[in-house]
Amino acid sequence: MIKTNLEYITDTNSNFEYLKIRPAGASYASDIARPLKHPLCLNQFNFSEINSFLLDLTTTCNAKCKFCYSSPYGRVSKFNNTDLLAIDEILHELAKHSLLKRIQIGCDFEPLISKDFHIIGKMFQQKFVDAPLIIVTNGVNLDKINIKDYAKAGGSKFILYVSMHAKNSDIYKSLVKGADFDLIINSVKKIRTDFPEITIQFDCVLTHQNSSDLTAYIQWAFCDLGVDLIEFRKVVIPDSNPALQKEIGLPYHVFLNLYESLKQNNLYEVGELNNSIVPESFWVKNRINIRTKLLREKIWQLKKNEEKFSNKFLEAEKKNSELQNSTCWRITKPIRFVGEKIKKLRNISNVHK
């Protein structure tokens, strides 16, 4: 039995309800991580009891957010062929069961920088149909990757979850180092056009710097970028960093006031405060977005139908071209020509009778 450079974590409180696979070496104090073994890794899990699966493709990130809690643990980690085989086996077993409520790629670190991102995407596309699939990303590499295979696997249930912490470029750059604001926004716009059926969700950590322009941020995300859902989270800064707390910290009463003001706005549907997974957070939907999304899906379906008929036409043209260039076609051409002449003469003769 071979140990891979992957490890797994399970939520023992829910009896294997939650399974997380990631490269080894980024353990938190609260994690109980165990080495994944291959090729007998399937014997380690009862797949019929797993309904939430999380896969981290790396243990590093290509951006540096001021409020990030993962950065102290990050290091570069890459998959090898054995790891991919193990992941392929796990995905194959997961695809057999209908209990999966959530499949998430990326969480504490950035999945789009993995060299195996596209390979694993093809694995998903081959094994899943309409799966509740989520990719969590900071968006830095959105212009370098193609989410087509993941979108096919997730269908209308696919969610692209992008961290976007401000509408204003200067505020965003002050919060996130190493990210190109304009490049990310243009990538989101292109993905919205190319994949109108998927859900695009923004994650915004509210700080002292970005909370004053919250209404404009929401309108911009929904109306200009076509985002479907926004999750707002209260920034959490350790007490050991009072300077950062003073610079970007958001008092809790301000966070609550922002939440209550949004709940009074008839334009939006606002979720209840949630503290079960992340520090206080809530989501916001655009009430008119249902109609907007349906329109996008209809336009997308028309485009797909147009592509399908165009492909059929091109295939027919190709076959016709191959036939006309064949030796048999060229040899029998004179005979067909004479046959057409005889046919015309017969028609003329029948008319004059």
Side-chain angles (χ1 to χ4, degrees), residues 288-304:
I288 64 169
N289 195 58
I290 295 173
R291 284 173 289 171
T292 308
K293 188 173 183 181
L294 285 173
L295 180 61
R296 286 202 311 264
E297 288 177 356
K298 286 181 179 178
I299 293 172
W300 176 78
Q301 193 59 52
L302 287 172
K303 285 177 66 178
K304 296 298 287 184

Side-chain angles (χ1 to χ4, degrees), residues 160 185 188-193 195-202 217-230 286 289-290 292-293 296:
L160 181 66
I185 295 307
V188 169
K189 288 180 178 178
K190 186 177 186 305
I191 289 171
R192 176 76 293 162
T193 301
F195 302 96
E197 78 282 13
I198 73 172
T199 295
I200 297 179
Q201 178 173 340
F202 272 4
Y217 172 91
I218 294 173
Q219 292 175 347
W220 166 73
F222 286 150
C223 300
D224 294 355
L225 305 182
V227 171
D228 301 291
L229 184 67
I230 305 171
N286 189 350
N289 195 58
I290 295 173
T292 308
K293 188 173 183 181
R296 286 202 311 264

Side-chain angles (χ1 to χ4, degrees), residues 1-12 15-22 32-50 53 82-83 85-87 89-90 93-94:
M1 190 175 293
I2 305 167
K3 290 183 180 180
T4 75
N5 68 350
L6 298 176
E7 62 188 19
Y8 73 92
I9 301 165
T10 56
D11 186 347
T12 53
N15 193 21
F16 281 79
E17 180 183 5
Y18 164 87
L19 171 66
K20 178 176 181 177
I21 303 289
R22 69 184 183 193
I32 305 175
R34 302 176 180 88
L36 188 71
K37 297 175 183 179
H38 182 77
L40 302 178
C41 60
L42 302 186
N43 296 338
Q44 292 174 264
F45 312 115
N46 184 348
F47 287 94
S48 63
E49 294 180 351
I50 296 171
F53 176 65
T82 304
D83 297 320
L85 288 172
I87 290 170
E89 286 186 359
I90 291 172
E93 291 299 314
L94 287 170

